[in-house]
Amino acid sequence: GDSVTQMEGPVTLSEEAFLTINCTYTATGYPSLFWYVQYPGEGLQLLLKATKADDKGSNKGFEATYRKETTSFHLEKGSVQVSDSAVYFCALVDAGNNRKLIWGLGTSLAVNP
Amino acid sequence: DADVTQTPRNRITKTGKRIMLECSQTKGHDRMYWYRQDPGLGLRLIYYSFDVKDINKGEISDGYSVSRQAQAKFSLSLESAIPNQTALYFCATQWAGAGTDTQYFGPGTRLTVL
């Protein structure tokens, strides 16, 4: 079945550092891909998404490009802030299973001043 | 006001007690979901509902039941709570229309079973 694998955390960075969180997937076809973010004490919220190959999703300085050749959707940000400290989840739509979301395990990011 | 609300936000209970977690939404979405989040295990789907008369089990439904009282309300019950049901529980909604699969989450309920 479809699956999502993302890099394990925790990731600890200094403010203004470059961030990459890796996400790869296994799926039939070309599912829509998502990054969600969970700030401390809150529910998950959509950060960005891409619906087809080579699409780039972007929001709040974060970017991710849908790469079908490498089945990847890595999350990047050029200069992280303390306020970016959160847990980040990669997910895909399982088109063959009632369009439910398949989730990665999450990557915790801590940004130090 | 929040589009997806969950009550209670925190609950401590004892083994064997019946617990109900409630979710309400003002987004007008047909689809609603219950997940639990455990450290290192990510999100796991408990139950989901595509409309009031369509309720489905997720990957970890044992020990849980649900009720979809209206389009806007979806409740999760633990009939006899046990300690390994201690977790963070999230409700989510989704529009059923074509072309969008985004889910919208409530703030979560932290449940502790002693």
Side-chain angles (χ1 to χ4, degrees):
Chain A
D2 293 3
S3 64
V4 174
T5 303
Q6 59 182 107
M7 65 187 284
E8 291 188 23
V11 174
T12 303
L13 296 173
S14 298
E15 205 164 24
E16 300 183 2
F18 184 86
L19 168 70
T20 300
I21 300 178
N22 291 335
C23 172
T24 58
Y25 66 90
T26 302
T28 53
Y30 302 106
S32 294
L33 301 172
F34 301 81
W35 277 102
Y36 277 77
V37 59
Q38 182 183 24
Y39 297 106
E42 298 183 12
L44 283 74
Q45 56 185 274
L46 179 68
L47 180 59
L48 54 84
K49 69 178 183 180
T51 57
K52 60 182 186 296
D54 300 325
D55 267 2
K56 177 183 287 187
S58 61
N59 186 25
K60 300 182 179 181
F62 291 88
E63 294 183 339
T65 301
Y66 191 140
R67 304 283 189 199
K68 66 176 182 178
E69 304 85 2
T70 53
T71 61
S72 64
F73 193 54
H74 304 321
L75 183 67
E76 297 181 335
K77 186 175 186 181
S79 177
V80 293
Q81 306 299 312
V82 172
S83 58
D84 293 326
S85 299
V87 181
Y88 293 82
F89 290 90
C90 186
L92 64 79
V93 174
D94 187 348
N97 192 3
N98 287 322
R99 305 198 70 79
K100 292 184 293 186
L101 292 185
I102 306 298
W103 297 89
L105 295 183
T107 302
S108 176
L109 170 66
V111 180
N112 297 319
Chain B
D1 288 339
D3 295 321
V4 185
T5 57
Q6 293 184 233
T7 55
R9 292 294 312 276
N10 290 281
R11 181 71 184 268
I12 300 173
T13 191
K14 295 181 178 180
T15 297
K17 294 292 188 181
R18 184 178 187 275
I19 296 297
M20 179 180 286
L21 309 182
E22 298 185 335
C23 176
S24 295
Q25 53 116 345
T26 59
K27 299 187 76 68
H29 291 170
D30 289 319
R31 298 185 174 189
M32 298 186 74
Y33 301 80
W34 275 105
Y35 292 95
R36 65 176 280 176
Q37 182 181 24
D38 300 274
L41 297 179
L43 289 174
R44 292 183 291 168
L45 183 62
I46 305 172
Y47 270 95
Y48 61 103
S49 171
F50 285 172
D51 64 38
V52 174
K53 297 182 180 179
D54 183 3
I55 294 177
N56 305 277
K57 293 182 177 180
E59 57 185 303
I60 55 161
S61 59
D62 287 349
Y64 301 94
S65 63
V66 291
S67 173
R68 185 81 184 266
Q69 301 96 321
Q71 185 202 42
K73 296 184 181 296
F74 192 36
S75 300
L76 176 71
S77 294
L78 289 67
E79 297 300 326
S80 179
I82 56 177
N84 76 2
Q85 291 177 314
T86 293
L88 188 54
Y89 290 84
F90 287 105
C91 173
T93 73
Q94 181 184 23
W95 183 52
T100 177
D101 294 297
T102 302
Q103 292 186 10
Y104 298 85
F105 283 76
T109 294
R110 184 167 296 281
L111 176 66
T112 303
V113 183
L114 302 176

